[in-house]
Amino acid sequence: MAHIVFLRASAADLTAGKPPLRGVPASAPLSAAAAAIPASQEADVAEADVAVWRDGASPLAPAAATVIGLISSFDVVAFLASHVGGTAAALRTPAGDVVAHQPALVREVEPHTRLIEIVELMKQGARRVLVRKNITEACTVDKKPFAPFYKAALKITGTPRAAAAAGKQAVNRSSSSPPATFGCDRYCCLTREDIVRFLINCLGALAPTPLQSISSLGAVNRGYAHVEASSPAIEASWMVPAEPRAVAVVQTNRDGTHKVLADVSAHRLWRRDYVAAADAMASLSSLNFAAGVEARGMSAPDGDAEAADVAAPLSRLGSRRVGFEDSLVEQMMMASHGGNAALRCRSTSSLAAVIAQMLSYRTTHIWVTHGEDDVLVGVVGYMEIFNAVTRDVVAPPA
């Protein structure tokens, strides 16, 4: 049955009402990219980041070919924290000089592309998949090729009427601010969270895999990144892996095992005061920083004014400070009582339960513990989920 889901579903079945890829030109200051992260239409997903476009690229060129890379809140905070010239100078740095040049993070497919092909692209490292559409229409769901799961697709992406309205609004917004889309209003953007949300509505067809434990499926990434609670927070920015982009803040037990207390990730830093967070990252311990971001972090402003003010976000980003000055004891108590309690599951948890937990908390990863002492043994992210659900599915030759 799993073959039916992955071989009959196509990109068009998942793109109803999906927004275009948002971004800034490479020559735009980092402050503009930082402001665009919470302003992005994709910010309603766990992976909130924006694309950086290549300067001089034609808006008619393939969208994926114009992308240099994706920049997240973690990238912004880490750069500000490590910049020796001060915050103001750092925010004036061109976004193209900050973003990691990884054009493969964005790929492009046709509406008829099968789900298994999209998942394979994501397993190869793509975080955004662009599906070509008509600029005057929203992406729609084609009922015929995937009729058994049509209702499931609509449950995730919304009704065709709502999708059309959302698509028109997206086109109208992009026309008022051309640099934000740079021709990508010709595409619907799929994220890895979109794929997982689609799959959770097809668990019956994927059986028995979703009912098996993540350890038995080999879905636990044991090569997780971690820093000691007492180590400088800036160390987390040096150790963040490619997948998932998260660093565990741990306490090392006498036997050398780890207990996770908190974590540092783009998911945690999204919609925070980046300037204040950078100051804290440069001066506080990892645990103080992680707990302080969650408990004291200032939320970014909401509304259209934020998107309209992209050109001058410096004063907004640095207008207030957050209270990272609490004592270590208070921060440890805060972390232990949920201030930045890292989301955890057991190694015996089923894959379905882990997927539901990730989607419920809108996170990109779950830390995996084992035994009565909750020893940290690994992490589950999108890659592990995709590998588990497709392990018996073979894509036919094109």
Side-chain angles (χ1 to χ4, degrees):
M1 286 292 289
H3 290 74
I4 296 178
V5 176
F6 290 102
L7 300 182
R8 293 189 61 186
S10 67
D13 295 308
L14 293 91
T15 52
K18 291 302 175 183
L21 182 69
R22 314 294 282 187
V24 297
S27 58
L30 179 61
S31 58
I37 294 172
S40 170
Q41 295 182 47
E42 299 162 21
D44 193 35
V45 300
E47 298 180 282
D49 46 28
V50 295
V52 177
W53 314 116
R54 183 174 293 106
D55 285 321
S58 170
L60 300 179
T66 69
V67 175
I68 297 175
L70 300 175
I71 192 166
S72 70
S73 54
F74 191 102
D75 300 321
V76 173
V77 172
F79 182 79
L80 295 180
S82 59
H83 196 274
V84 296
T87 300
L91 286 170
R92 290 193 295 268
T93 304
D97 294 344
V98 178
V99 66
H101 287 222
Q102 297 175 300
L105 294 180
V106 178
R107 304 294 292 272
E108 183 179 333
V109 300
E110 296 295 332
H112 57 76
T113 303
R114 287 169 293 199
L115 177 58
I116 184 61
E117 297 173 87
I118 296 175
V119 172
E120 287 299 322
L121 289 177
M122 291 182 170
K123 287 165 64 175
Q124 294 169 18
R127 295 183 197 166
R128 299 288 188 275
V129 172
L130 305 182
V131 184
R132 188 182 299 276
K133 68 169 184 175
N134 189 318
I135 190 172
T136 61
E137 301 176 356
C139 290
T140 57
V141 176
D142 185 357
K143 297 182 182 180
K144 295 182 180 179
F146 201 49
F149 300 98
Y150 174 60
K151 292 183 179 179
L154 290 183
K155 183 176 180 181
I156 301 168
T157 58
T159 63
R161 180 176 297 179
K168 290 180 181 179
Q169 292 175 3
V171 171
N172 291 337
R173 282 194 296 268
S174 64
S175 63
S176 62
S177 55
T181 55
F182 196 72
C184 283
D185 48 0
R186 295 180 287 116
Y187 302 85
C188 290
C189 180
L190 287 177
T191 68
R192 295 182 294 183
E193 184 184 354
D194 293 329
I195 305 300
V196 174
R197 284 191 176 278
F198 183 85
L199 293 177
I200 201 171
N201 285 273
C202 307
L203 292 182
L206 298 176
T209 299
L211 300 179
Q212 296 178 268
S213 69
I214 54 176
S215 58
S216 66
L217 292 170
V220 180
N221 178 1
R222 300 182 185 275
Y224 61 90
H226 67 278
V227 293
E228 287 290 335
S230 59
S231 65
I234 193 67
E235 288 187 8
S237 66
W238 305 337
M239 303 182 65
V240 61
E243 286 295 333
R245 288 181 58 80
V247 179
V249 179
V250 304
Q251 172 186 311
T252 301
N253 302 319
R254 292 183 178 180
D255 60 359
T257 58
H258 298 139
K259 180 175 183 179
V260 60
L261 302 177
D263 69 3
V264 179
S265 65
H267 171 70
R268 295 287 186 184
L269 293 169
W270 176 54
R271 285 188 179 273
R272 301 301 176 186
D273 183 333
Y274 299 151
V275 172
D279 290 345
M281 177 178 279
S283 59
L284 297 182
S285 70
S286 295
L287 184 59
N288 274 22
F289 172 75
V293 164
E294 186 69 11
R296 307 286 188 178
M298 182 187 76
S299 296
D302 293 321
D304 294 337
E306 180 179 28
D309 195 33
V310 156
L314 178 57
S315 60
R316 179 176 69 254
L317 289 173
S319 60
R320 291 169 57 188
R321 286 291 188 265
V322 291
F324 287 93
E325 297 82 7
D326 301 87
S327 67
L328 177 60
V329 173
E330 182 180 350
Q331 295 289 6
M332 292 184 68
M333 292 176 62
M334 191 182 303
S336 64
H337 288 81
N340 182 291
L343 292 174
R344 291 169 289 182
C345 68
R346 295 299 185 100
S347 58
T348 54
S349 299
S350 69
L351 181 64
V354 173
I355 292 176
Q357 187 178 6
M358 284 182 63
L359 294 177
S360 176
Y361 285 94
R362 309 302 298 273
T363 186
T364 59
H365 58 280
I366 302 287
W367 301 102
V368 183
T369 63
H370 180 74
E372 296 181 358
D373 297 329
D374 286 334
V375 173
L376 179 62
V377 295
V379 63
V380 175
Y382 293 120
M383 287 294 192
E384 289 69 39
I385 292 175
F386 292 151
N387 286 329
V389 296
T390 61
R391 61 177 187 165
D392 296 324
V393 180
V394 179

